[in-house]
Amino acid sequence: ELKVEQNPLFLSMQEGKNYTIYCNYSTTSDRLYWYRQDPGKSLESLFVLLSNGAVKQEGRLMASLDTKARLSTLHITAAVHDLSATYFCAVDENNDMRFGAGTRLTVKP
Amino acid sequence: NAGVTQTPKFRILKIGQSMTLQCAQDMNHNYMYWYRQDPGMGLKLIYYSVGAGITDKGEVPNGYNVSRSTTEDFPLRLELAAPSQTSVYFCASSFPGQENNEQFFGPGTRLTVL
């Protein structure tokens, strides 16, 4: 069965600090997605990672994929309050998309 | 383009009632999906469709039905609503021609069953 596990589930950071969110999955799929969700809102696509070693960056966020380890990371650099949200990773196996439980990130001044 | 639209935004049902959640997209996407999100949890796939007339079950299909008569619309039907179906429902679509199959999400429907 396809499983996707994120950790940590809750993360409280101070502004200016760095941190990494981890996403482990059980399938051989090499398509991994990161989404952001603000409270009461829908999901916004952040990154799509399609191959081993893929790295993508947007602003203070950088995502990477290691398909051999079945691990993706979302690295936050010099966090700011605007990054406070819930971050989900998801894996697509033959159109069966499975999401992690999410990491609720709070960035404090 | 309006993207993915969902109606209604909110709904309260009594146990045993039925209803249809509407989803439409104007991006000519062949693939469409229905998810539910319980409080504090990730999304779970209910049903998906790869084109008009083709639907398939996802991870949690029990208690739901779908149809796909057009490319644009993908309604989700709840028969005999139960409190366990209280959730936020998201519809999404994607374009199969894109290698990455990135999904675009609607705003969601918040359903409460009492």
Side-chain angles (χ1 to χ4, degrees), chain A:
Chain A
E1 182 188 347
L2 173 53
K3 292 185 178 179
V4 181
E5 294 182 347
Q6 280 182 245
N7 71 82
L9 298 182
F10 297 92
L11 177 56
S12 181
M13 298 176 63
Q14 282 200 309
E15 281 191 331
K17 298 293 187 182
N18 305 333
Y19 208 83
T20 300
I21 300 170
Y22 297 88
C23 175
N24 289 92
Y25 57 96
S26 62
T27 182
T28 56
S29 172
D30 57 3
R31 292 194 292 190
L32 189 131
Y33 307 80
W34 283 97
Y35 290 91
R36 168 182 171 144
Q37 185 179 38
D38 292 305
K41 302 293 186 182
S42 187
L43 277 75
E44 172 191 354
S45 178
L46 293 174
F47 300 108
V48 180
L49 303 170
L50 297 177
S51 60
N52 188 43
V55 177
K56 290 195 175 180
Q57 184 165 4
E58 180 75 33
R60 300 174 188 274
L61 301 177
M62 183 175 70
S64 65
L65 178 62
D66 181 345
T67 57
K68 293 179 181 176
R70 298 182 185 178
L71 170 68
S72 179
T73 61
L74 180 66
H75 187 72
I76 302 157
T77 301
V80 293
H81 179 70
D82 285 352
L83 291 179
S84 296
T86 299
Y87 294 84
F88 293 97
C89 64
V91 176
D92 177 3
E93 186 173 51
N94 299 321
N95 302 312
D96 185 359
M97 187 81 94
R98 296 295 173 98
F99 282 76
T103 297
R104 186 173 298 180
L105 171 65
T106 303
V107 180
K108 298 180 177 179

Side-chain angles (χ1 to χ4, degrees), chain B residues 36 46-47 57 59-65 85:
Chain B
R36 60 176 287 171
I46 305 171
Y47 271 95
K57 295 178 181 179
E59 186 181 0
V60 290
N62 291 347
Y64 307 94
N65 280 301
Q85 293 178 307

Side-chain angles (χ1 to χ4, degrees), chain B residues 33-84:
Chain B
Y33 311 79
W34 273 107
Y35 295 90
R36 60 176 287 171
Q37 184 179 31
D38 297 329
M41 302 295 289
L43 277 68
K44 292 190 175 181
L45 183 63
I46 305 171
Y47 271 95
Y48 66 96
S49 168
V50 299
I54 306 170
T55 62
D56 209 345
K57 295 178 181 179
E59 186 181 0
V60 290
N62 291 347
Y64 307 94
N65 280 301
V66 293
S67 60
R68 184 93 182 273
S69 57
T70 67
T71 299
E72 293 79 17
D73 301 297
F74 190 38
L76 178 71
R77 177 93 178 151
L78 277 72
E79 306 280 4
L80 298 175
S84 61

